[in-house]
Amino acid sequence: MTVREATWRDLAAMARLEQRCFPHDAWSEETFWAELAQRPRRSYWVAVDDARDGGEVVGYAGLDVAGDLADVMTVAVDPRRRGSGLGTRLLETMHGRAEGAGARAVLLEVRADNHGARSLYAGLGYQVVRVRPGYYRSTGSAPPVDALVMRKELVGP
Ligand SMILES: CC(C)(COP(=O)(O)OP(=O)(O)OC[C@H]1O[C@@H](n2cnc3c(N)ncnc32)[C@H](O)[C@@H]1OP(=O)(O)O)[C@@H](O)C(=O)NCCC(=O)NCCS
């Protein structure tokens, strides 16, 4: 498994995986193109299974760095590849990039009901610093869901 920076050649595969990971609010391929156009402030990373012919994209993550703060834009892993440390590896790669670019902390937003992602982030040292009540709309008649803003310090005081 290789984690490397994404290029425009990866965007179609990333958009396909996005459909499977976020079926209700998937980013389009055009959105990924627009994100990649914001490099170097934004950077996107893919986990590629080298054992598959041509290399299959099985995960990706995106980061925005602005001054001493970085934001995780997204992180997703192929449902068949979850639970083997890939999400952790992608986030650690982004932490390294953020530190290298001079960021002191990383922020992200997560749905309060996304317990898997919340455990992943908590295990990596993220703490909830703010709640945005009812930020995410739900499908059907379900009530909206809070957004949690989580923050991880990269360097000590
Ligand atoms: C969240 C996501 C990226 C995690 O990817 P992953 O490769 O499975 O993560 P890891 O294998 O590195 O998991 C590391 C730790 O996170 C926690 N974790 C991850 N998924 C979990 C789940 N579904 N339930 C409980 N804990 C979970 C566990 O503590 C896990 O450690 P363990 O395997 O030793 O128990 C993946 O589930 C995913 O793509 N989800 C859909 C998209 C999404 O919700 N993205 C986040 C948007 S904010």
Side-chain angles (χ1 to χ4, degrees):
M1 198 71 66
T2 303
V3 173
R4 59 162 173 79
E5 270 203 78
T7 74
W8 62 269
R9 285 190 183 82
D10 300 307
L11 297 183
M14 289 164 71
R16 280 196 299 276
L17 189 50
E18 171 90 0
Q19 291 280 350
R20 294 168 55 214
C21 292
F22 302 99
H24 302 296
D25 50 2
W27 285 3
S28 64
E29 191 176 330
E30 289 70 28
T31 299
F32 279 109
W33 275 94
E35 287 291 303
L36 215 65
Q38 295 178 62
R39 289 180 295 180
R41 173 177 167 151
R42 295 268 160 89
S43 61
Y44 278 78
W45 304 81
V46 282
V48 178
D49 183 350
D50 311 295
R52 301 295 287 262
D53 214 13
E56 185 189 0
V57 172
V58 294
Y60 55 84
L63 184 77
D64 178 87
V65 185
D68 57 5
L69 284 182
D71 285 276
V72 173
M73 305 300 298
T74 186
V75 55
V77 170
D78 186 324
R80 295 168 301 181
R81 306 297 184 107
R82 291 179 190 164
S84 61
L86 262 186
T88 302
R89 199 167 148 197
L90 283 162
L91 282 164
E92 285 175 342
T93 302
M94 291 196 297
H95 297 160
R97 167 62 167 244
E99 258 178 316
R104 298 179 62 84
V106 188
L107 292 153
L108 56 78
E109 242 174 49
V110 60
R111 284 176 66 107
D113 61 0
N114 190 345
H115 300 290
R118 285 177 62 180
S119 313
L120 167 65
Y121 303 144
L124 286 168
Y126 286 84
Q127 291 181 328
V128 176
V129 291
R130 194 153 24 113
V131 179
R132 296 192 167 140
Y135 184 78
Y136 293 105
R137 66 177 186 278
S138 299
T139 49
S141 57
V145 177
D146 295 348
L148 306 181
V149 180
M150 299 183 80
R151 177 181 171 120
K152 173 187 168 64
E153 304 304 322
L154 291 173
V155 284

